[in-house]
Amino acid sequence: MIKDIINKHIIFSSINSSIKDISKLMNEYNIGFIPIVDNDKYIGVVTDRDIALILPLINNVNNSIKSYVKNNIILIDYNSSIDDALELMGKYKVKRLLVS
């Protein structure tokens, strides 16, 4: 079951965070996926791949992440099976899911 394998310590960041701040969080916690929140609501995600693709295109790493957040959040229920998670990941071609 998903509830048996999830990471319950989620590192997230604000929509107003800079690209530099997001990169620092990823480095500090050795993670490649950060959910983005606005007013305590998940609104999107940023991955290490997103950062790698953004960096060559910008002039200032202090720019807000706001323009680069992927809003396609894929959620899976806490009580779902691992097979359900694998199916969702395959369907949407993602490596990580948020658990609700």
Side-chain angles (χ1 to χ4, degrees):
M1 298 298 289
I2 294 296
K3 64 184 175 185
D4 299 324
I5 64 167
I6 63 169
N7 179 354
K8 295 177 182 169
H9 180 71
I10 297 177
I11 305 300
F12 59 90
S13 193
S14 163
I15 189 69
N16 297 315
S17 295
S18 70
I19 296 165
K20 182 178 180 179
D21 291 339
I22 300 286
S23 297
K24 282 183 176 182
L25 279 175
M26 287 181 174
N27 185 49
E28 179 180 347
Y29 291 98
N30 194 29
I31 55 177
F33 177 88
I34 295 190
I36 304 297
V37 297
D38 189 20
N39 294 323
D40 296 326
K41 180 182 176 204
Y42 289 114
I43 59 155
V45 297
V46 175
T47 67
D48 48 359
R49 182 176 187 277
D50 297 331
I51 298 292
L53 294 173
I54 291 167
L55 288 177
L57 304 175
I58 62 170
N59 296 325
N60 186 350
V61 293
N62 292 313
N63 289 349
S64 169
I65 198 68
K66 187 182 295 190
S67 299
Y68 306 100
V69 173
K70 290 182 180 175
N71 296 333
N72 56 338
I73 299 174
I74 300 162
L75 295 171
I76 189 161
D77 185 82
Y78 179 78
N79 292 305
S80 296
S81 71
I82 293 172
D83 287 337
D84 292 337
L86 292 172
E87 185 177 323
L88 271 177
M89 293 166 81
K91 179 179 179 180
Y92 293 102
K93 297 179 173 53
V94 296
K95 297 178 184 176
R96 302 163 182 109
L97 301 169
L98 284 177
V99 178
S100 63

